[in-house]
Amino acid sequence: MTPADRTGSPASVPTALATRIVDLAAIARNIRRIREHTGTDVMAVVKADGFGHGWLEVAHTALDAGAKWLGVATVDEALDLRRAGVTAPVLCWLADPWTNLLDAVQQGVTVSCANRETLDAVAGAAGETGAVAEVHLELDTGMSRGGAPEAEWLALCVAAAEFERAGSLVVTGLWSHLALAVDPDPSSTDAQRLAFEHGVEVARSADLAPMTLHLANSAGALDHPDTWLDLVRCGASLYGIETVLGRTHGLESAMRVVSRVSQLRRVSAGTGVSYSHAYVAERDTTLVLVPVGYGDGIPRDLSHGGEVVIGGLRHPVVGAISMDQLIVDVGDHPVVLGDEVVLLGSPEKGEPDAQEWADVTGTISHEILTGLGGRMARRHINADTKATP
Ligand SMILES: Cc1ncc(COP(=O)(O)O)c(C=O)c1O
């Protein structure tokens, strides 16, 4: 039987071999939940193609659901938003002194600065364009990744205040990033908050009067009220990732990944499967070929405990995952060509989600979601209820 036979219409068979179905309504509900929870403004983090969900669709959804800001890593991501007509405030936090900042400054992108060199570059771009640049200064309060080290903070603030007086830029915000907000032990987060409060005092002593203070990522927004301040920067939680260890906040996964049974074979006990025959069938069984692989972002380690759902039942992914294909052992279950294969779905329906894949493969769901793509199609839907089609 072919997929066309099963659906009754060749036209209804998608050409893509796998599809990411993104429920924008779930993202909107997640944003509303966060807004109700914190009562602060929300910055929707749409970097890395909206964690794989589609940057522009997510940006529009987030703004419609009440997010006030959009957050991205690179200037290019910020300019993509502007080119698409998005006029909302956008912060980008990975400009460096060699980034071309002319368009960003001219188009009102807020640029984060963590060192004097980047601040000089922003002021230079402002001078060239005649626009007043908007800047948020980033302080390192304990993450030791980005941000000005505490020892350089005062000098950075003093320099920024001088540029303000010269009319080339205005510091509209101060921020920092939390390292351990997912941890139930709040001590590290508390220490970062105190360091940030001190940094704000230092900035004020240097004559800056920033309007927007922000510290919290999703885990801070969900579980550390002291970090909420004026704005919470949420990525993972928008997409339904429960970032706080052992806690659920009623967030909904927004991405479903489906494919179909492209080939089937019955094999005897003892048959070696896929490259290196790392899996050998223990009994007579049916093997299903699903036409997605690591070239589409499926982690190769998923064959060490990963499962998919076919016909409402879970079955193991077995043998080495190839670039374009993976194999599922469905035993004696009556699976036929064209059956839907749910790779990622809703745990409430017994389907795996990104967290389950992350647990199996030793990573975090963020990496799973942003890694998916390759040749997969993506379709956006607006499901009114929690049910997905
Ligand atoms: C600077 C910054 N703020 C906020 C976020 C959002 O964090 P989360 O996805 O944990 O909400 C990220 C990263 O994802 C980030 O790099």
Side-chain angles (χ1 to χ4, degrees), residues 45 47 51 93 145 175 177 217-218 233-236 243 366:
V45 177
K47 64 180 180 172
F51 286 43
W93 48 75
R145 184 183 71 171
W175 71 286
H177 196 53
N217 55 359
S218 289
R233 300 186 310 273
C234 291
T243 51
H366 312 51

Side-chain angles (χ1 to χ4, degrees), residues 267-273 277 279-285:
V267 298
S268 328
T271 302
V273 180
H277 284 179
Y279 178 74
V280 177
E282 284 173 8
R283 54 187 157 69
D284 294 358
T285 191

Side-chain angles (χ1 to χ4, degrees), residues 59 113 156 185 331 360 362:
C113 293
L156 184 67
D185 174 0
V360 170

Side-chain angles (χ1 to χ4, degrees), residues 305-383:
E307 293 179 333
V308 300
V309 169
I310 306 174
L313 294 175
R314 280 177 170 255
H315 302 285
V317 177
V318 296
I321 293 177
S322 313
M323 193 180 290
D324 331 293
Q325 310 168 32
L326 60 81
I327 302 297
V328 179
D329 185 341
V330 298
D332 296 327
H333 290 283
V335 170
V336 297
L337 213 55
D339 273 353
E340 183 185 67
V341 178
V342 180
L343 292 133
L344 287 185
S346 158
E348 289 160 23
K349 293 184 187 167
E351 297 160 344
D353 64 356
Q355 186 58 51
E356 182 176 321
W357 282 23
D359 292 341
V360 170
T361 61
T363 182
I364 53 174
S365 10
H366 312 51
E367 185 180 359
I368 298 289
L369 292 174
T370 53
L372 290 172
R375 295 149 291 187
M376 283 186 195
R378 187 168 55 205
R379 188 156 60 85
H380 290 96
I381 60 166
N382 253 298

Side-chain angles (χ1 to χ4, degrees), residues 233-250:
R233 300 186 310 273
C234 291
S237 50
L238 304 190
Y239 307 104
I241 298 173
E242 295 280 3
T243 51
V244 180
L245 295 177
R247 303 235 2 220
T248 56
H249 296 82

Side-chain angles (χ1 to χ4, degrees), residues 85-119:
V86 175
T87 56
V90 175
L91 174 69
C92 77
W93 48 75
L94 281 186
D96 69 15
W98 300 275
T99 311
N100 181 342
L101 292 164
L102 296 178
D103 289 344
V105 167
Q106 208 155 30
Q107 298 191 36
V109 170
T110 304
V111 180
S112 174
C113 293
N115 54 37
R116 178 66 201 257
E117 292 82 352
T118 308
L119 192 69

